[in-house]
Amino acid sequence: MLFDILTIFPGFFDSALQEGVLGRAIINGIVKVRAIDLRDFTADRHHTVDDRPYGGGEGMVMKPEPIYRAIETLKGEPPPPVTVLLSPRGRVLDQTFAAELAGLERLVLICGRYEGIDERIHDHFVDIEISIGDYVLSGGEPAALVVVDAVSRLMPGVLGCEASASSDSFSDGLLKYPQYTRPADFMGHRVPDVLMSGDHARIARWRRERSLAMTFKRRPDFLSVVRLDEKDAEFLNKMGWRPE
Ligand code: SAM
């Protein structure tokens, strides 16, 4: 999958794209990420990307022309991209949305700065807007990185162990069960015995129940949409959960 990131700070991505799972996916050629400098698409000698807002008010607004030119240039190269504006007004990224995006061949991610981007880009030149949560960042770059990371780890071959993405939080609609490693006793806090029992059926049931309990405690809203079997419902009922 190809991610083209349009930004006025291409250096922002340098170290993040070299590390860990994402760095390996790039080295292995499963994912390609290009951080493209929006200033290369300006037409004046100062490489201006922003201007004062019409109607007055605080701050600066990103001009439409460099963004338009960059989008058109990138559209001229195959494969055809889906253009994405990172924006607090966009559809909030969750695991389902990330999985939908992982099915695409190419994304152009446009990072805003300042007070945001001229509305005509929102209205006429992007396919979707994505928010990474209900808070305001100083720029779209951290959001673009979140999108690249969350989407990439869902692509075949990116995670060392294929099972890991499917057992992540959210993948089955629940939060993930707790994990432990050595030592078995850490400052008097012991790893649950069941995990050292070698009984795989009991371990699987324990993990399912911990996932259910964690989700009930922290994100009970998930339980109204997740697929629960009879055993799950019985376990949750005992904890005080009632289906809506
Ligand atoms: N004035 C804008 C508003 O109130 O909606 C916020 C502009 S913000 C300071 C600058 C840029 O950061 C935005 O254009 C957008 O690209 C990015 N950004 C901020 N919060 C974001 C979020 N929650 N998700 C995705 N992008 C975000």
Side-chain angles (χ1 to χ4, degrees), residues 184-213:
D185 187 320
F186 176 62
M187 299 177 75
H189 303 289
R190 285 191 54 75
V191 171
D193 287 338
V194 59
L195 296 179
M196 294 181 290
S197 69
D199 181 337
H200 296 296
R202 268 185 68 213
I203 292 171
R205 190 65 224 157
W206 181 89
R207 285 180 165 164
R208 178 77 182 169
E209 290 182 353
R210 287 306 96 210
S211 268
L212 289 164

Side-chain angles (χ1 to χ4, degrees), residues 49-243:
V49 289
D50 60 326
D51 208 335
R52 290 187 307 268
Y54 275 116
E58 294 295 302
M60 301 295 269
V61 175
M62 290 187 77
K63 291 165 68 56
E65 307 97 310
I67 299 174
Y68 169 78
R69 274 188 219 111
I71 292 174
E72 286 305 298
T73 304
L74 293 174
K75 277 186 173 170
E77 301 170 9
V82 170
T83 50
V84 175
L85 189 58
L86 282 317
S87 159
R89 302 189 319 208
R91 174 175 166 193
V92 176
L93 186 70
D94 61 12
Q95 196 71 1
T96 307
F97 194 8
E100 286 170 28
L101 297 171
L104 301 172
E105 254 187 296
R106 183 178 174 204
L107 290 178
V108 171
L109 301 166
I110 304 158
C111 304
R113 279 273 157 177
Y114 316 118
E115 288 303 309
I117 288 174
D118 188 290
E119 193 69 20
R120 290 163 290 186
I121 293 292
H122 290 252
D123 288 346
H124 306 293
F125 302 102
V126 295
D127 299 314
I128 44 178
E129 293 187 30
I130 298 179
S131 163
I132 61 158
D134 294 339
Y135 40 80
V136 177
L137 303 165
S138 310
E141 289 77 7
L145 205 45
V146 167
V147 171
V148 171
D149 190 296
V151 172
S152 295
R153 58 184 284 115
L154 296 175
M155 311 217 38
V158 167
L159 293 181
C161 166
E162 283 306 321
S164 354
S166 61
S167 72
D168 275 346
S169 289
F170 311 119
S171 53
D172 60 359
L174 298 174
L175 300 182
K176 186 158 175 146
Y177 50 80
Q179 298 267 56
Y180 301 86
T181 186
R182 274 172 279 275
D185 187 320
F186 176 62
M187 299 177 75
H189 303 289
R190 285 191 54 75
V191 171
D193 287 338
V194 59
L195 296 179
M196 294 181 290
S197 69
D199 181 337
H200 296 296
R202 268 185 68 213
I203 292 171
R205 190 65 224 157
W206 181 89
R207 285 180 165 164
R208 178 77 182 169
E209 290 182 353
R210 287 306 96 210
S211 268
L212 289 164
M214 183 84 73
T215 308
F216 177 55
K217 204 166 143 197
R218 298 192 181 176
R219 294 300 301 267
D221 51 311
F222 286 3
L223 294 175
S224 53
V225 285
V226 77
R227 194 188 299 265
L228 299 171
D229 66 18
E230 240 175 74
K231 269 190 180 169
D232 294 337
E234 198 183 317
F235 174 79
L236 284 167
N237 283 336
K238 276 192 209 146
M239 293 191 70
W241 172 77
R242 296 290 170 265

